[in-house]
Amino acid sequence: MSTRVVVATAADENYAIPLAVTVRSLIDSLAPSTQLRLVILDGGISTTSRERLKASWDDPRLEIEWQRPDTRTIAGAPVSGHVSAAAYLRLLLPTILDSDRVIYLDSDMLVRRDVTALWDEPQGDSLIQAVQDLAAPWIDAEVAADRYAERLPLLAAARPVANYRELGLRPEAPYFNSGLMVANLALWREERIAQRVLECLQENSEQVLWWDQYALNVVLADRWRQLDHRWNQGAHIYNYPSWRLSPVGKDAIGPLRREPWIVHFCSPIKPWQDGCRHPFTSAFFETLERTEWRGWRPAPAPELRLQIVKEQRRLLKQKLRWSLRNAVQGLWRKAG
């Protein structure tokens, strides 16, 4: 008996090559009996790239739908650096898809396990299933974790929702990465989740970190189910010197580093950019060789690396500002 899985992803022309690898690896990992309905949210992929993508994914189990969403509702959403409006296209899935459930994947992933197992995870009444973010594991790491002073330099953000108290979020609650979500679209439609996320972005524009992921964590707080970290291995796992300072357990960190089920290339420099040192870069190119971009390699781009360094510095300054703000707020609370 065959299983039909619904998967959606989003990309523009800049992400055509990583998209080719994401979907090729998704197909390569499928069980022979699995049928895949793939929805591509097209944020501006050229006709030439689209034809190359279709040729790269030729497989009888695959049904492809190309969607060019009406982006007027997300036109005012904040963008920065490598993040374009395509990052918000996933919010339009409830209005685009007739399905009540979907696996959403970012287009910078390498799939290494049959997603039928992910599709079979019990959804229950959770709005999404997702993975705790390895770079910012909790709403407030100072409250949620021990050895905070040692952990702080290792985290991308200690409080990814800086104004969580005003929003009524629990400080010890886990914070998820939105690059992989198994979404209950029926409930999203019923509860107007997309609209509420966009409203949250507008109402908290000065606090937003990591674009719609901020708002998704606010709107979906305590309404999501946590998946095994291996379903979305963030590059930040390699930043932790030991399991004791990481958000995962002693027995989990080794398999997560060596045998993730889905690799998320969320490092500042990615495999399709010059100078990437991610441990799964070679696996990325092995998959690329099974696409119409076989033989392609990134050209040296020192100016890109300089741009990435500047973006890292900007994010560091932002993080320091938020840390200072949180520290001042903490002193005020103690004084009161």
Side-chain angles (χ1 to χ4, degrees):
M1 184 176 178
S2 63
T3 301
R4 190 169 186 261
V5 178
V6 183
V7 174
T9 187
D12 55 18
E13 179 64 18
N14 293 326
Y15 265 61
I17 289 176
L19 175 63
V21 168
T22 297
V23 176
R24 184 67 256 174
S25 66
L26 173 66
I27 296 167
D28 290 345
S29 302
L30 281 181
S33 60
T34 299
Q35 300 294 312
L36 180 64
R37 178 188 177 192
L38 176 67
V39 179
I40 307 294
L41 303 178
D42 183 352
I45 300 172
S46 69
T47 301
T48 300
S49 291
R50 181 186 285 204
E51 292 305 311
R52 294 179 77 179
L53 288 167
K54 288 193 288 188
S56 298
W57 304 334
D58 185 33
D59 191 286
R61 297 168 295 174
L62 179 65
E63 170 195 340
I64 307 176
E65 295 178 24
W66 298 88
Q67 297 280 354
R68 287 298 296 268
D70 183 345
T71 58
R72 284 176 293 182
T73 57
I74 59 173
V79 297
S80 174
H82 68 282
V83 173
S84 69
Y88 296 94
L89 293 178
R90 57 189 167 190
L91 298 179
L92 305 178
L93 282 170
T95 59
I96 292 171
L97 281 183
D98 56 2
S99 172
D100 285 342
R101 196 160 172 257
V102 66
I103 297 174
Y104 172 82
L105 301 175
D106 271 355
S107 54
D108 57 353
M109 291 182 154
L110 182 73
V111 182
R112 305 178 70 248
R113 186 182 182 189
D114 182 8
V115 294
T116 306
L118 179 58
W119 188 251
D120 289 341
E121 288 278 349
Q123 188 83 31
D125 59 357
S126 58
L127 287 162
I128 66 165
Q129 299 180 78
V131 172
Q132 184 183 28
D133 197 300
L134 295 170
W138 303 281
I139 295 297
D140 188 340
E142 186 173 11
V143 176
D146 59 2
R147 302 172 68 173
Y148 175 68
E150 295 174 76
R151 291 178 189 265
L152 182 59
L154 305 173
L155 300 173
R159 297 178 184 88
V161 182
N163 60 331
Y164 75 85
R165 292 184 179 88
E166 293 87 333
L167 296 170
L169 273 60
R170 294 184 298 109
E172 70 278 6
Y175 174 92
F176 65 83
N177 181 282
S178 60
L180 177 142
M181 297 185 291
V182 186
N184 186 332
L185 294 182
L187 279 178
W188 276 50
R189 297 184 194 103
E190 182 182 327
E191 301 190 23
R192 298 177 57 256
I193 296 301
Q195 294 93 322
R196 288 165 57 191
V197 167
L198 291 169
E199 290 167 4
C200 179
L201 287 170
Q202 294 170 355
E203 294 168 2
N204 301 278
S205 58
E206 294 184 0
Q207 304 287 350
V208 171
L209 175 65
W210 299 324
W211 308 282
D212 63 326
Q213 183 168 284
Y214 165 95
L216 284 164
N217 270 275
V218 172
V219 174
L220 306 183
D222 294 323
R223 297 287 307 280
W224 64 282
R225 177 176 176 268
Q226 191 166 335
L227 293 167
D228 190 303
H229 285 93
R230 286 173 290 182
W231 281 120
N232 185 0
Q233 184 230 48
H236 212 82
I237 192 60
Y238 300 107
N239 286 17
Y240 295 105
S242 72
W243 69 269
R244 290 181 177 85
L245 296 178
S246 81
V248 300
K250 180 179 180 180
D251 295 333
I253 193 167
L256 179 57
R257 282 175 167 164
R258 296 188 302 270
E259 293 295 332
W261 297 336
I262 295 180
V263 178
H264 190 178
F265 293 113
C266 49
S267 51
I269 301 179
K270 301 172 185 293
W272 54 95
Q273 298 170 328
D274 177 43
C276 182
R277 297 293 181 266
H278 193 286
F280 282 87
T281 297
S282 60
F284 174 91
F285 285 108
E286 287 171 9
T287 304
L288 187 67
E289 290 302 304
R290 298 196 290 280
T291 76
E292 292 298 300
W293 280 270
R294 62 185 61 87
W296 180 91
R297 294 296 183 273
E303 71 284 353
L304 175 62
R305 275 180 271 177
L306 179 60
Q307 179 184 342
I308 290 171
V309 168
K310 288 181 178 178
E311 178 68 6
Q312 288 176 312
R313 288 175 179 171
R314 184 191 70 79
L315 291 173
L316 178 60
K317 288 179 181 177
Q318 187 181 53
K319 176 182 175 182
L320 291 173
R321 285 198 301 272
W322 283 329
S323 297
L324 179 60
R325 181 191 304 166
N326 286 329
V328 170
Q329 290 175 346
L331 291 174
W332 277 108
R333 283 193 301 274
K334 290 178 180 178

